[in-house]
Every structure is written in structure tokens, then in C-alpha cells.
Amino acid sequence: MLLAGRWRGKYSRGIHESPAESTLTDTAQRPAANENYLLISAFAEHAKSPLVAIAKRIADCSCNLAESRVAMLGQEVAVLVLAQGPWDAIAKLESALTRLERDDRLRLSFSRTGAKPVQTNLLPYVVEVVAADKPGILFQLAEFFQRHQISIEQLQSTRYRAMQTGADMFSAQITIGIPSDTHIAGLRDDFLEFCDGLNLDAIMDPMKF
């Protein structure tokens, strides 16, 4: 089996079903009715990462940091944060972020949003793909899952140069939610045919918790 983030030897293709598959379920306690959500995104040079400044404002305003993502993209660091709290705390956080954006000259944006929908009928799978790089691979992957009504929950892709050959390569790690009533054998056939047509080395395995 191929381990996430580490590729060893020749990649196998296939979908392996687990007898103890779990559905994607939001197991956290649902927030109270008076709790609100603020989605915050910021970009800056790596040396001036806004993560600490944003996290401090969230704590100072008595909000919770519900989710966060940090990634290096080129020479920039991207920070994506979901803050949660009562209406007055979120309003206070909005004012604090406005001052932070002005004083620190950050490329920062924020907007109100809602809680993540509870998902009880999706089977969580992890897809890993590697191939010689060419335009359109990610688009075709996303289109395949959309065509099969499969949601992409998380995605990370990168372009790199192979150490031995120097060839430009593409790799992606994708977490997807497959509807529980999907015919897995039929999906397997479609996915293998799709991979063969694009010369992709790929796996699709149930997520292990």
C-alpha cells in the first residue's frame, strides 16, 4: 500500500474496500445558535507570516480557532482560518482584523460564513496521484470527481523535478467523500480507465482513522 506523502517503487492502481469503512461525520458538538463563523484569508512573504498575528487577534477577541490551513506557495505563505464565536466577539474580531490589515499592510480578507454541514452519508477516501507533468491534470481529476458527484474535501498538489531523470512531475493528495450508495466496483472501473487514459499512477484507498 502506498503511504500518504511517500512514494515507493512502482505505483499500483486500484480501489481497496475496507470492511469497516466509516462515513464522514462531524463528530464535534454542534455550536449553539448564537455562535457565528468568520472565514479569514491572508497572504504575505514567508518572513512576515501573518499566522501569529491573526491567531492572537482571535484569542484576544474571545473567539475559537475552529480550523486553519497554512501553505507555502511560491515565495508567499497563505493562511486560511475559520474563527468561531458569539456575534459580538466576531464583530470585535472584524474590527481587530481591519486594524491589522491597515497597520501591518497585509493582504487580508474576511467574511461571515456558517458551520460545516454535517455529513453522514459519505465514505472518506484518500486519492494519491503522480505523473509526468502536463497542463490540465488537476482540472481533469476535479472534473472526474464532479462528474461522479464525489466531493473533494481537501486537496494538495505540487509540481517538482524528478531527482534521477530531471523530468517535470506532478503529484496530488486528495481527500474525497464518496456517497455511500455508490457502486464501488463501477467507480473502480471508471477510475482505472480514467487513469490509463492520462497515464497516471494512482491509488484510491479508504481513509484510515
Side-chain angles (χ1 to χ4, degrees):
M1 177 180 173
L2 195 60
L3 300 178
R6 299 182 63 185
W7 299 87
R8 299 176 178 175
K10 181 64 179 176
Y11 302 96
S12 60
R13 297 192 183 103
I15 301 175
H16 306 287
E17 299 177 45
S18 171
E21 289 174 335
S22 300
T23 56
L24 283 174
T25 306
D26 187 353
T27 58
Q29 185 177 0
R30 299 187 67 178
N34 67 337
E35 289 187 324
N36 297 261
Y37 293 81
L38 190 68
L39 182 61
I40 307 164
S41 62
F43 299 87
E45 295 178 2
H46 183 256
K48 300 178 181 179
S49 173
L51 176 61
V52 173
I54 292 175
K56 182 178 187 303
R57 269 58 175 191
I58 292 173
D60 289 346
C61 295
S62 299
C63 295
N64 294 319
L65 202 163
E67 293 187 57
S68 61
R69 307 282 190 276
V70 179
M72 276 292 297
L73 301 173
Q75 296 181 347
E76 307 286 312
V77 59
V79 176
L80 188 64
V81 171
L82 181 65
Q84 172 188 345
W87 184 91
D88 56 341
I90 291 293
K92 182 179 178 181
L93 177 58
E94 288 175 320
S95 298
L97 291 173
T98 299
R99 292 192 299 271
L100 176 65
E101 181 181 20
R102 180 184 65 246
D103 297 342
D104 289 21
R105 297 180 181 178
L106 294 177
R107 285 169 290 161
L108 188 151
S109 65
F110 51 88
S111 60
R112 297 289 183 106
T113 186
K116 182 179 180 179
V118 177
Q119 299 169 302
T120 59
N121 66 331
L122 299 181
L123 303 175
Y125 273 72
V126 176
V127 174
E128 299 194 25
V129 176
V130 67
D133 187 46
K134 58 183 178 181
I137 295 178
L138 186 58
F139 159 71
Q140 289 168 305
L141 282 166
E143 187 181 46
F144 173 86
F145 294 126
Q146 182 182 61
R147 188 168 64 250
H148 288 79
Q149 298 182 330
I150 295 172
S151 63
I152 294 179
E153 304 292 323
Q154 294 188 47
L155 184 151
Q156 178 178 333
S157 69
T158 188
R159 183 177 183 269
Y160 65 97
R161 184 158 294 177
M163 293 183 62
Q164 294 183 343
T165 65
D168 291 327
M169 302 295 293
F170 168 89
S171 70
Q173 297 82 41
I174 310 170
T175 302
I176 59 175
I178 302 177
S180 57
D181 59 354
T182 298
H183 189 269
I184 298 297
L187 179 61
R188 176 193 293 114
D189 292 341
D190 288 345
F191 186 70
L192 290 178
E193 183 178 352
F194 168 81
C195 291
D196 288 339
L198 294 178
N199 293 320
L200 304 179
D201 287 320
I203 64 165
M204 183 187 291
D205 283 326
M207 178 180 288
K208 292 179 172 56
F209 295 92

